Amino acid sequence: MKSMLLSLLTCLLLAVTLQAQQAKGRLDIQLHKNILQPGDSLSVRVDYKDGGGQKASLATLELIIENEQGLRTRLRWPLINGQASGALYLPDSLPRGKYILLAGLQQRFFEVIGKVQNAGNSGSIQALLLTKTGDWDEQEVPVAPDGTFAIRNWLFEDNALMAFSATKNPNKPLDILIRTQLDSSSTPLAVAGRAFYIGNPPATVRSTLHQPVETTEAVFADRGRVLPAVVVRSTAKSPAQQFNEKNVSSLFRSGDERLVSVMDDPSAPGFPNIFAYLQGRVAGLQIEPAGANDGMVRWRGSPVTFFMDEVRTSAQQVAGIPMTDIAIVKAYPPPFVGAPGGGGGIAIYTRRGGEASSLPPNSQVFKVRGYTPSATVLNMNKLSM
């Protein structure tokens, strides 16, 4: 009798397990090819259907890519109407060999859960999202009596700044804690894996590239964390100095450079070009009347090399940049290491958007991580993208 009951119980457990497996969703990874060369682009498409054959309307696809050297990077793409897709550019610097691409589906879309510590009876707060491309969006967010609030379904790429301010009294300082749900621990709804190879694989490896790669949910485990507020403005540094620190590489940093802020000067748009604007503003820099056309710009008798966003360019191209597009100018007296022949250099930096000066005053600001751009360079030296 006991053995009969045990057998019946085993059958019931197997039936429940089989039913759960059938109800579980399925991820299907498609690569346009699985053998590539450095410089190629890898197109990736992932489709998802739940156990009933229905597509998820809004979700997030987490991707982990690992190579034979043990280097690993993480990406995440939005999954809309059951599909996520993108392209990975494979630079020459990537090691040759076999790569494993693992996919895990989170049911969550981008979401911010927060609490206003000193909410009182505010009823709502203003939330502003400012992306690296300069795009921004704003919404009034309801706040519960206990100070909690939620912001859902904002779609943006890369990192962004999220600012909060009081709706009724913008000058009132806020004390806010936030957590982005995509950075919180979550068990994926479904997982899948595929392999690809950069270079020329041996025959033993080539035959395995078409086979699915076994993966587990545990590989996508990530601890949630509360995001700290960040300081994006400083009374000791001008917007031009902040721009310089954020956007200028080490080659274009020099103890002897001259920083000219165009973005802070309301008179700058009135000048026809940057040459006219620089007249008399940089000691030792000589700009002849024909300089905008013929490049007759010298520094202590030496020719000047021009750069736009750190790419060498001609004087004619520099002269054609609208003044409203220029953020800062950096002038380097000779000898400048980036200029051939030991001459001077002038670097023009165009506005990026997303500067802290675009945010409202007295707001509490956080850095938040959005989705990986749909076309991105595969960088195995970054833990997350």
Side-chain angles (χ1 to χ4, degrees), residues 285 299 303-307 330-336 339 343-347:
L285 187 66
W299 201 324
V304 171
T305 302
F306 299 97
F307 302 87
K330 301 191 75 175
Y332 309 88
F336 173 52
I346 293 180

Side-chain angles (χ1 to χ4, degrees), residues 46-69:
V46 182
D47 293 284
Y48 172 77
K49 290 184 180 179
D50 64 18
Q54 299 299 312
K55 298 179 179 180
S57 56
L58 286 177
T60 297
L61 186 74
E62 299 278 354
L63 296 174
I64 296 176
I65 301 175
E66 186 171 2
N67 64 10
E68 293 178 300
Q69 289 75 32

Side-chain angles (χ1 to χ4, degrees), residues 345-365:
I346 293 180
I348 312 294
Y349 288 85
T350 56
R351 296 177 185 263
R352 300 290 197 274
E355 285 88 33
S357 57
S358 302
L359 296 173
N362 303 309
S363 57
Q364 192 168 5
V365 180

Side-chain angles (χ1 to χ4, degrees), residues 130 161 230-249 253 257 259-261 263-264 327-328 330 349 352-359 365 367:
L130 185 62
L161 295 177
V230 296
V231 177
V232 295
R233 281 185 296 277
S234 171
T235 55
K237 296 178 182 178
S238 68
Q241 290 171 324
Q242 295 178 49
F243 184 97
N244 181 46
E245 291 183 357
K246 180 179 178 182
N247 299 292
V248 177
S249 68
R253 294 180 186 270
E257 67 194 25
L259 175 63
V260 180
S261 176
M263 61 195 297
D264 297 329
I328 63 172
K330 301 191 75 175
Y349 288 85
R352 300 290 197 274
E355 285 88 33
S357 57
S358 302
L359 296 173
V365 180
K367 286 182 180 178

